[in-house]
Amino acid sequence: MKRDLYIDFAKGLATLSIIFIHTAFWSGQFYIPAEVRVFSLVFDVALFYALSGITSGSNIEKTLYRLLKLQITYMIFVTFLFFLDYFFKTFGLNFFSLEWLQNFYSTFGSKYTINNISTVPQWENLGNWYLHQYTNADTFPVVMGSFWYLKVYFILTVFGVLILKFFPKHIHWFIALCVVLTLLFNIFPEMYPNGQVGYVAFYLAVFLVGNRMKGKKISGKMIPVLYGCVAAALIWMFWYYGSEIFYKINRNKFPPKIPYIIWTLFSLVTLFVFYNRLKISSESFVTYIGKNAIFFYFAQGISSSLVYFLVVPLKEKIFWWLLMILIYIINIILAFGISIILKKIDRFGWNILEIIRKKTAIE
């Protein structure tokens, strides 16, 4: 079956958008106006869940195998990250001083100031990362700050494939159930559960809607209606919550609440409008990013941490918009280079596991 380059293209654009979001909301907190940071959320992580729904099927074995491969790739990455973080701290303590390291980490802001740095590996952190408890990686704080997406992806993909397999004729009912639960959690905030329930309720609906769109094309007559509904929802949001809600969109993202959900509708409608309408016929830099989205997602956490060390000395010397463009471009270049390294590390990790498998296999 021929690969749909539109999916790769959309994933690539979504990944570039995530890099911009993390450029704006992490190091960008020092110099980018709040209005620009909020607008960066227009094309956000919901797109990945919708695209995952489009590309998912009802084959449980295939889906679980894909998730297992992703889990192993993730574990290889966080193992590399763990030792990179540990060796950097050991290097800093042995060749410089605790004060030098503390000054280094203060670049990320007071939230990430470290009082005690041990030369003993904190193995419990690696174990927590394996089990998707994202305790901070001190040297690269953006990495774990962006990994909440991965845990939700694992959960809703399992639920999604079970629904697609055993309830193929009732998917609309499950979409409706997710929508009702999301509305209940928002209408009665005291009912909003801790943990992943709120995330999965909304993003599972996005995933299932994406699956229902597979192979379909939105008619031209429906396009103005859909965008009209999005505009009406935005107008209602500002009328009901007041204009100050604009500056609180990110606060309503974790977990997703009504203002943030409305904010994502434009990007989701746009994704589905261009699906099976915009034809991507050739490979490009964007489709390459889409094909390697997971490695770029890992890499941008590292690169978005590194650009802090350019932002802090330059933020008072360059116009904010010029610095933002410069840092964003540098972030993409860094993420591209790091993703290539991570792919090689991933291949090396899989080769080691294959050697272990052969050595321990029962003849």
Side-chain angles (χ1 to χ4, degrees), residues 67-79 294-295 298 342 346-347 350 353:
L67 291 179
L68 178 60
K69 286 183 64 179
L70 176 57
Q71 172 67 15
I72 294 173
T73 289
Y74 161 76
M75 291 172 73
I76 292 170
F77 169 67
V78 296
T79 302
I294 190 62
F295 293 106
F298 292 164
L342 293 181
D346 180 66
R347 191 178 302 116
W350 278 96
L353 289 174

Side-chain angles (χ1 to χ4, degrees), residues 1-253:
M1 184 177 179
K2 188 177 179 181
R3 190 180 182 95
D4 187 350
L5 289 180
Y6 174 78
I7 300 298
D8 292 330
F9 184 78
K11 282 184 179 180
L13 287 180
T15 303
L16 289 171
S17 180
I18 293 298
I19 294 175
F20 181 63
I21 290 171
H22 291 164
T23 300
F25 271 94
W26 287 83
S27 59
Q29 66 184 305
F30 292 133
Y31 69 101
I32 297 179
E35 294 84 355
V36 177
R37 296 204 302 273
V38 173
F39 272 117
S40 73
L41 293 171
V42 171
F43 294 94
D44 203 358
V45 73
L47 292 174
F48 284 105
Y49 296 120
L51 288 165
S52 180
I54 292 175
T55 56
S56 293
S58 60
N59 189 320
I60 294 179
E61 182 179 353
K62 183 178 178 180
T63 300
L64 294 181
Y65 179 71
R66 176 165 52 87
L67 291 179
L68 178 60
K69 286 183 64 179
L70 176 57
Q71 172 67 15
I72 294 173
T73 289
Y74 161 76
M75 291 172 73
I76 292 170
F77 169 67
V78 296
T79 302
F80 165 74
L81 187 75
F82 176 81
F83 285 107
L84 192 62
D85 178 67
Y86 168 69
F87 288 137
F88 178 80
K89 291 175 180 175
T90 303
F91 172 83
L93 288 174
N94 289 331
F95 290 92
F96 294 95
S97 65
L98 176 61
E99 290 72 24
W100 181 87
L101 271 179
Q102 289 174 330
N103 183 62
F104 175 89
Y105 290 124
S106 68
T107 305
F108 301 123
S110 57
K111 182 180 178 182
Y112 298 99
T113 299
I114 301 173
N115 295 320
N116 297 306
I117 300 175
S118 174
T119 56
V120 178
Q122 306 298 304
W123 297 108
E124 66 274 16
N125 284 338
L126 182 59
N128 285 334
W129 295 349
Y130 284 165
L131 299 176
H132 294 277
Q133 182 179 340
Y134 307 122
T135 50
N136 190 46
D138 296 322
T139 312
F140 307 102
V142 183
V143 176
M144 295 303 161
S146 60
F147 263 169
W148 67 269
Y149 155 82
L150 203 58
K151 182 191 291 186
V152 176
Y153 174 77
F154 274 103
I155 297 170
L156 75 81
T157 302
V158 172
F159 276 99
V161 73
L162 291 176
I163 292 170
L164 296 178
K165 178 66 175 181
F166 296 108
F167 305 97
K169 296 182 180 179
H170 302 90
I171 294 174
H172 292 91
W173 287 104
F174 281 95
I175 295 172
L177 175 63
C178 291
V179 171
V180 169
L181 285 175
T182 301
L183 288 174
L184 281 176
F185 296 156
N186 282 274
I187 296 171
F188 305 102
E190 66 276 6
M191 293 177 59
Y192 214 124
N194 294 323
Q196 309 306 314
V197 178
Y199 292 91
V200 174
F202 170 59
Y203 290 122
L204 181 57
V206 173
F207 174 93
L208 293 174
V209 169
N211 183 263
R212 291 294 86 192
M213 284 298 301
K214 181 185 293 188
K216 298 177 182 177
K217 180 180 178 180
I218 294 177
S219 67
K221 294 180 180 179
M222 282 299 299
I223 293 175
V225 174
L226 291 173
Y227 280 115
C229 292
V230 172
L234 286 168
I235 292 170
W236 174 85
M237 181 183 76
F238 285 112
W239 170 80
Y240 184 80
Y241 292 100
S243 58
E244 65 276 7
I245 194 62
F246 175 79
Y247 297 97
K248 300 176 181 178
I249 296 297
N250 194 51
R251 297 183 193 175
N252 286 272
K253 179 179 176 180

